[in-house]
Amino acid sequence: MLDLLNSLFIAPFDYGFMQRALVAGLALSLAAPALGVFLMLRGMSLIGDAMAHAILPGVALGFLMAGFSLPAMSLGGILSGLLVAGLAGSVSHMSGHREDSAMASFFLISLAGGVMLVSLGGSSVDLTHVLFGSILAVDSTALVLIAAISTLIVVVLAIVFRALVVECLDPLFLRGQGMAGGLVHGIFLGLVVLNLTAGFQTLGTLMAVGLMMLPATTARFWSKRLEGLIGLGILIAMLSTSGGLLLSYHLELPSGPSIILLAGTCYVLSALLGRHNSLLDKLRRRDAPLVARDAD
C-alpha cells in the first residue's frame, strides 16, 4: 500500500522539472486566489480575463526582441498590462462608459495585436508556448522570478488589505478618510497585472487567469467570510496545482490544462454540493418548510 502511494504521489516529484513546476504552481497559488476573491467581490471577474490578454502584446514584443528571455517577456507584459489598464481607465473617465466595456475593447485589440506580433516573428510552436505556457519547462530563472513576484504581491496586498476591503464595500467612506479610491484601485490592477505576468510562463496568457478566478469562485460555495474565501481559494489552488501535475505525469496529459480543468471540476462539484447557494443547498432550503409543515 505504501509503495503504491509513493509511486502515485511522491515518486513523480523526484524529478527536477516536476519539483520546479510544483514550487512555481504553489507560489502562484499563494497570490492568485486572493486577487481573484477581490475581483469577484468587485464584480470584475471578467476583467481578469481581459487583463490576461492585455499583457500579450508586451510579451510578444519581448519575445521578438530577446527570444525566450523570461525577464524581457515579463517586463514587456507588465508594461503592456499597465498601459492597457491606464488607457481603459482614461477612456472610461472621459467618456463616462463603464470601465469593463473599455477594458473589453482594449482586450480584443491587445489579443489580436499580440497574436499578430508572435506570428510574424516566430512559428506556431512559439505562439502556442506564449498562449498556453509550459509549467514543466520552468527553469531556475523563471522560478526565482515567479517566487519574487508572488512574494511582492502578497506583501503589497497585506499592506493595502484594509483599504482594499473598504474600497470594495464603501468607496465613499474611504474617500472621506482622506484616501484616494483611484489610487487603491490602481494598485490593485497593478497587482493583477503582476500576477498574470508571473503566470504566463507556467499557464500561458490564455489560462493564467484560471488559477486566479476558479479557486475564488469555488470558495464562494463554501464560505461567506472574506478570510474563509481567501483561505479556501488558496487551498483549492494548491490542490489543483499538485493534482493537475500528478494527472499530467501519470496520464501523459498537458500540464497547464490539467491544472485548470481540475480547478474547474472543483467548481462544478461545489456548485452542486457546496454549503451556500449550491443546487443541494437550494433543494435543502426548499424542502425545509415542507418538513416543518409535516411535523406540525
Side-chain angles (χ1 to χ4, degrees), residues 13 22-23 25-31 33 211 215 231-245 259 262-263:
F13 295 110
L22 179 63
V23 173
L26 293 180
L28 289 172
S29 298
L30 283 173
L211 201 62
L232 283 173
I234 291 173
L235 178 62
I236 293 167
M238 287 184 168
L239 291 175
S240 299
T241 297
S242 54
L245 288 173
I259 293 171
L262 189 56

Side-chain angles (χ1 to χ4, degrees), residues 186-209:
I187 292 174
F188 175 70
L189 287 182
L191 294 179
V192 172
V193 170
L194 280 174
N195 185 81
L196 294 172
T197 304
F200 93 87
Q201 170 70 11
T202 56
L203 300 173
T205 59
L206 293 183
M207 286 190 294
V209 72

Side-chain angles (χ1 to χ4, degrees), residues 42-111:
R42 296 156 71 99
M44 298 171 60
S45 298
L46 293 179
I47 294 292
D49 186 57
M51 294 303 299
H53 299 305
I55 71 173
L56 183 56
V59 171
L61 283 175
F63 167 71
L64 290 177
M65 296 176 64
F68 281 115
S69 170
L70 184 59
M73 295 168 71
S74 298
L75 179 61
I78 292 172
L79 295 177
S80 176
L82 293 177
L83 177 62
V84 169
L87 288 174
S90 299
V91 170
S92 175
H93 180 73
M94 289 186 298
S95 64
H97 294 166
R98 287 172 56 89
E99 187 177 14
D100 57 349
S101 63
M103 188 71 73
S105 301
F106 281 108
F107 133 67
L108 293 170
I109 297 170
S110 300
L111 178 60

